[in-house]
Amino acid sequence: MVQEKVRVSTRTLEWKCVESRADSKRLYYGRFILSPLMKGQADTIGIAMRRALLGEIEGTCITRAKSEKLPHEYSTIAGIQESVHEILMNLKEVVLRSHLYGTCDASICVRGPGDITAQDIISPPYVEIIDNTQHIVSLTEPIDLCIGLEIERNRGYLIKPPNHFQDGSYPIDAIFMPVRNVNHSIHSYGNGNEKEEILFLEIWTNGSLTPKEALHEASRNLIDLFLPFLHKEEESFHLEDNQHTAPLTPFTFHEKLAKLRKKKIALRSIFIDQSELSPKIYNCLKRYNIYTLLDLLNKSQEDLMKIEHFRIEDVKQILGILEKHFAIDLPKNPF
């Protein structure tokens, strides 16, 4: 009897940052390696990571400006050195960082003369201006200037539609991508079937996040995209979203969460991506500004059912996970 030898791989993939620097407030660079990889794997990972880094990471931009003093995009205003178009282009260059989902308002209210920069933007505390020195407008006379701004977090590009200017409100083209460029290269070593590869990744960002943060976020987003394939295929019946408002028995969602809140635990330190939520539920909660267990416990069943594409089955899944992980043997210390 001949026994066939089974080769078991004992390789452990490891990654590390081999170079990291900040060339300016708005240009960060990082170089990373991943090894050892089998032949062909480096290219597979490199291509996927490049696309995820450039297309799947969200950023924050100014997407609209409004002022009574801005009658037309190409007009000039007495006491203001720049044209309206130049002001809009300068606002487009402002780099922001936030945990915002959706939009929020900000403003600039100043009196000349003087140079107005990004530090003069009045924004919510959860929006951070990366480079306060970004020039916006120069006032040459003692005039008042107030500009209302709309800030949005999104991904990819936002191209303003033509002829969409009204009532002194101007949409601004936005490049939400915080990653400016990505290169990947491969180094091969070994012979024949024993050949292995090292993947090198170079990442440049606009300063709103570091290359290492970008790498982590892109990896997580890739995992979220592939997770559905690891779950069993859904039942063949289809139900319309948000049409199932039957009560949860024997307790309502809010009552169960109230019980969990009495369990004294540091809820702020537990993030929803640490649970077993499906990618769909996870992404829906993120869009509703729910990041931690504490955020979730502050919502009622009715609140969650208002989320687009959310169903009663999704609420029940959340309840099951909370009961499984937090209803038993929780710390008794207050949070």
Side-chain angles (χ1 to χ4, degrees):
M1 181 177 178
V2 179
Q3 286 187 333
E4 181 180 354
K5 291 185 178 180
V6 179
R7 183 181 175 186
V8 179
S9 175
T10 58
R11 297 177 309 124
T12 301
L13 290 180
E14 295 182 351
W15 75 277
K16 66 178 179 179
C17 177
V18 294
E19 185 178 357
S20 178
R21 66 173 186 264
D23 295 330
S24 68
K25 289 183 178 180
R26 299 165 62 173
L27 184 60
Y28 284 22
Y29 171 80
R31 189 165 183 252
F32 308 87
I33 62 172
L34 176 67
S35 67
L37 295 163
M38 297 175 63
K39 184 178 180 181
Q41 288 182 335
D43 205 34
T44 301
I45 297 173
I47 293 172
M49 285 303 302
R50 184 177 189 276
R51 293 184 65 87
L53 284 162
L54 292 174
E56 296 298 327
I57 300 180
E58 295 183 336
T60 307
C61 293
I62 298 173
T63 56
R64 184 173 291 274
K66 182 176 183 179
S67 175
E68 295 178 355
K69 289 185 176 291
L70 309 180
H72 188 273
E73 184 181 8
Y74 296 101
S75 63
T76 57
I77 304 169
I80 298 180
Q81 182 172 308
E82 291 82 2
S83 68
V84 175
H85 178 73
E86 290 172 325
I87 296 174
L88 296 177
M89 291 301 99
N90 290 337
L91 289 171
K92 180 179 177 180
E93 294 298 319
V94 176
V95 178
L96 303 171
R97 176 189 177 109
S98 79
H99 297 292
L100 168 74
Y101 278 85
T103 62
C104 71
D105 295 326
S107 63
I108 300 173
C109 290
V110 292
R111 181 173 178 81
D115 290 331
I116 310 307
T117 63
Q119 70 178 351
D120 296 300
I121 297 176
I122 302 171
S123 61
Y126 48 82
V127 177
E128 177 187 355
I129 299 171
I130 299 302
D131 184 4
N132 286 331
T133 65
Q134 167 63 42
H135 177 74
I136 296 175
V137 61
S138 295
L139 303 182
T140 58
E141 297 179 11
I143 63 172
D144 294 322
L145 177 65
C146 287
I147 303 176
L149 304 174
E150 185 177 277
I151 295 174
E152 180 178 346
R153 181 182 171 95
N154 211 321
R155 66 185 184 92
Y157 299 93
L158 175 64
I159 306 299
K160 63 183 179 182
N163 303 321
H164 194 62
F165 310 102
Q166 54 184 359
D167 301 327
S169 177
Y170 302 93
I172 301 173
D173 291 346
I175 302 176
F176 293 105
M177 301 154 51
V179 176
R180 292 305 189 216
N181 193 22
V182 180
N183 284 336
H184 82 274
S185 57
I186 302 168
H187 173 70
S188 300
Y189 60 96
N191 298 311
N193 294 330
E194 302 296 325
K195 184 171 287 189
E196 294 184 334
E197 298 176 337
I198 301 175
L199 172 65
F200 291 84
L201 275 173
E202 293 181 289
I203 304 172
W204 290 262
T205 70
N206 66 356
S208 62
L209 77 174
T210 66
K212 184 178 290 187
E213 289 173 329
L215 188 62
H216 289 173
E217 186 169 341
S219 301
R220 177 175 294 175
N221 289 342
L222 270 180
I223 293 171
D224 288 345
L225 289 173
F226 287 109
L227 270 179
F229 294 110
L230 299 180
H231 295 289
K232 291 183 179 179
E233 188 175 1
E234 293 187 1
E235 299 287 342
S236 58
F237 61 89
H238 299 281
L239 301 173
E240 293 185 10
D241 292 338
N242 293 345
Q243 297 299 315
H244 308 276
T245 56
L248 294 174
T249 56
F251 304 102
T252 66
F253 180 72
H254 184 72
E255 289 171 339
K256 281 201 171 188
L257 293 186
K259 283 190 172 185
L260 288 179
R261 292 191 69 179
K262 293 178 181 178
K263 305 291 184 176
K264 310 305 183 182
I265 187 171
L267 303 177
R268 287 188 183 88
S269 63
I270 301 177
F271 291 84
I272 60 172
D273 59 357
Q274 296 174 268
S275 64
E276 301 169 353
L277 295 173
S278 69
K280 173 206 166 185
I281 296 178
Y282 171 68
N283 290 325
C284 285
L285 293 178
K286 279 205 324 180
R287 284 194 294 270
Y288 204 59
N289 293 323
I290 298 174
Y291 306 100
T292 67
L293 186 59
L294 182 63
D295 297 333
L296 183 58
L297 297 185
N298 284 324
K299 302 297 180 183
S300 67
Q301 174 189 351
E302 291 74 19
D303 291 332
L304 293 186
M305 291 304 296
K306 294 176 183 177
I307 300 177
E308 186 178 5
H309 305 310
F310 224 73
R311 303 180 303 177
I312 197 70
E313 288 79 7
D314 301 326
V315 177
K316 289 181 178 179
Q317 183 183 138
I318 292 174
L319 280 176
I321 291 173
L322 292 176
E323 287 288 326
K324 176 181 177 182
H325 292 288
F326 304 110
I328 302 175
D329 296 330
L330 293 177
K332 297 181 180 181
N333 297 326
F335 66 92

